[in-house]
Amino acid sequence: MSLREIHLTVNGEARTATVENRLLLVHCIRENLGLTGTHVGCETSHCGACTIHVEGTPVKSCTMFAVQADGKSITTVEGLAGPDGISPVQEGFWEEHGLQCGFCTPGMMMTATALVRVEEEPSEAEIREAISGNLCRCTGYVNIVRAIQFAHRKIHSPAPVPVMAHEGGE
Amino acid sequence: MIPAAFDYLAPASLDEAIDLLARHGPDAKILSGGMSLIPAMKIRLAEPAVIVDINGIPDFEYLREEGGQLHIGAMTRESAFEQSGLVRHGYPILFETAKVIADPLVRNRATIGGNIAHADPANDHPATMLAVGATIVARGPNGTREIAADDFFNGFFSTALEDGEMVTEIRVPAPTARTGSTYLKFERKVGDYAIAAVAVNLEVDEAGHCTSARIGLTNVSDVPMRARNAESALIGHAVNAKSIEAASREAAAECDPKADLRGPVEYKRDLVRVLAGRAIGRAVARAQGRTH
Ligand SMILES: Cc1cc2nc3c(=O)[nH]c(=O)nc-3n(C[C@H](O)[C@H](O)[C@H](O)COP(=O)(O)OP(=O)(O)OC[C@H]3O[C@@H](n4cnc5c(N)ncnc54)[C@H](O)[C@@H]3O)c2cc1C
Ligand code: FES
Ligand code: FES
């Protein structure tokens, strides 16, 4: 069994891990780096629960080897909040009730975070297409779409975001 | 879901990659996007002793027009096709093909070189490459050679690539003013492989006659295939509802689908007929400048 030392930047911090070549990146993140926010849903490249950013691009971390991230900068859900608190995407999921069990949520928010960077407001169809690699068994996606719209407005519209009251809400 | 152990090599240049492939022979596998290879390794369908990761080779992802052709670096990700204005406006069939492959997260990693070299009859690029008459550039220990898409796919998951050869570039002829092309896929659910898909690339002259046609079919035979009888039913004929119907019936007759979870043979054949009719109609409209 050959072990290799890899050096990567994880949520802005330099980290080192000693890994087998065959170790999947998601397992390195959870087990070697101790960041268990990134989930393993299917392990067959379908569900997107393991989505992280590699050099800013959202990818399924169960379908990359940890050695492929050597020298790279990665961001996991733990890296979304900044010194000023939770990110606009996290706030959107909170305000719009974008989660139920929360299993898909870390991956969903990583995909959403990349999507809302683009200045032009995505249509609902574009949002649904963008999250089509992230499966949610609970919400029916409606509130996830709203959460992403909330985040986009918060980032790109100067006006304060009104908190919408939904049917059945407080 | 743990792959078998392997040695990991990450060449920093194409020359180094070719050397490593020659040195390790059949024990080595190229890793590009990994979206087909890694899932196969997890279920131990593939157990390569050596992985040659080509992601670190510089200048391997590009889309540029040169000498009347689009030159595509083998490591170009599917997402790059979606984001490229050149592809979207100049080569709509490539845009439409990339857009329906898997899901956006997979497309951020998956590469055109891997999609073609893997030669899965369910992969979407091969039919399109047959339709546009692409040239596949391969490099190996004996140098570089060009392979016509027609000669590239030669069996179930099998290609004309020799041991130690890799795909380095794909070249697609630029469409003429009278070309219309499209890729139409029908899938069971978003992100799935095709039940069937049809790639059409044709030319229509001013009198409304089809002067050339190439049609590729996805996932309805063991090998990505051209629907040559369907092409013959169009070439030299006026394009109208009757000739389009005749061509789509030919495509349905000449494909060779297998019954599986995606449906029985009769259903798939009829789907090919319907998709071919729609795709030819859309390509003709584009060739005549009626739509984009
Ligand atoms: C959930 C999911 C859904 C998918 N749905 C679709 C779909 O709808 N349509 C579709 O077309 N595909 C689909 N795919 C497959 C995906 O597009 C693959 O990425 C693609 O088929 C292979 O490209 P890759 O770059 O990932 O290759 P890899 O997985 O890295 O390699 C695939 C094979 O090709 C070889 N290879 C790679 N690059 C080269 C090269 N340059 N020269 C020679 N050999 C090479 C490798 O050694 C390996 O044998 C799906 C994948 C997943 C995970
Ligand atoms: S765990 Fe990676 S896609 Fe499901
Ligand atoms: S909230 Fe439960 S899977 Fe999405």
Side-chain angles (χ1 to χ4, degrees), chain B residues 29-30 32-37 110-111 115 123-124 167 185 193:
Chain B
K29 270 245 173 242
I30 297 169
S32 51
M35 295 296 122
S36 289
L37 182 56
T111 69
N115 197 284
N123 275 0
D124 291 294
V167 175
K185 169 174 172 175
Y193 289 95

Side-chain angles (χ1 to χ4, degrees), chain A residues 35-164:
Chain A
L35 296 170
T36 53
T38 304
H39 290 169
V40 183
C42 63
E43 240 186 316
T44 60
S45 321
H46 287 92
C47 76
C50 63
T51 304
I52 63 157
H53 293 185
V54 175
E55 302 290 350
T57 301
V59 300
K60 293 175 173 175
S61 64
C62 75
T63 317
M64 257 184 89
F65 294 113
V67 287
Q68 293 187 278
D70 192 14
K72 300 261 189 308
S73 172
I74 70 170
T75 310
T76 67
V77 68
E78 289 89 345
L80 287 186
D84 303 330
I86 58 174
S87 75
V89 166
Q90 290 174 306
E91 195 183 332
F93 276 73
W94 175 305
E95 292 295 347
E96 298 291 343
H97 200 142
L99 62 143
Q100 288 178 25
C101 80
F103 196 85
C104 70
T105 314
M108 206 58 96
M109 293 200 301
M110 296 314 290
T111 299
T113 298
L115 176 64
V116 298
R117 274 190 218 128
V118 180
E119 191 168 342
E120 197 183 328
E121 192 178 343
S123 66
E124 180 178 340
E126 284 163 347
I127 294 174
R128 285 180 178 270
E129 150 71 17
I131 59 171
S132 61
N134 297 85
L135 304 184
C136 176
R137 300 304 301 271
C138 304
T139 64
Y141 302 97
V142 173
N143 286 354
I144 293 176
V145 171
R146 287 191 183 131
I148 296 170
Q149 288 167 332
F150 177 105
H152 192 276
R153 281 197 302 269
K154 170 115 192 181
I155 295 167
H156 298 283
S157 317
V161 181
V163 176
M164 311 269 248

Side-chain angles (χ1 to χ4, degrees), chain A residues 1-2 4 20-24 27 42-46 48 51 54 57-60 62-65 67-69 107 111 129-134, chain B residues 1-9 31-36 38-39 41-42 44 51 53 55 82 99 102-109 189-191:
Chain A
M1 185 171 86
S2 58
R4 176 187 297 254
E20 249 191 287
N21 290 335
R22 61 175 166 171
L23 186 72
L24 298 171
H27 292 137
C42 63
E43 240 186 316
T44 60
S45 321
H46 287 92
T51 304
V54 175
T57 301
V59 300
K60 293 175 173 175
C62 75
T63 317
M64 257 184 89
F65 294 113
V67 287
Q68 293 187 278
T111 299
E129 150 71 17
I131 59 171
S132 61
N134 297 85
Chain B
M1 294 277 229
I2 309 223
F6 56 84
D7 285 334
Y8 175 79
L9 305 170
L31 174 65
S32 51
M35 295 296 122
S36 289
I38 297 176
M41 289 172 70
K42 286 187 195 178
R44 309 258 176 140
I51 284 286
D53 181 352
N55 283 270
E82 297 172 73
K99 190 82 191 155
D103 61 60
L105 301 171
V106 169
R107 296 201 293 271
N108 280 342
R109 294 291 298 168
K189 61 172 184 59
V190 64

Side-chain angles (χ1 to χ4, degrees), chain B residues 88-158:
Chain B
R88 188 164 198 155
H89 302 294
Y91 299 83
I93 186 172
L94 297 183
F95 174 80
E96 289 168 349
T97 306
K99 190 82 191 155
V100 294
I101 289 176
D103 61 60
L105 301 171
V106 169
R107 296 201 293 271
N108 280 342
R109 294 291 298 168
T111 69
I112 184 165
N115 197 284
I116 291 171
H118 193 50
D120 184 339
N123 275 0
D124 291 294
H125 279 297
T128 292
M129 292 303 134
L130 291 172
V132 298
T135 301
I136 288 133
V137 182
R139 188 156 151 198
N142 302 322
T144 300
R145 66 186 177 117
E146 296 180 6
I147 309 165
D150 281 335
D151 302 325
F152 188 77
F153 306 102
N154 56 16
F156 189 53
F157 284 91
S158 153

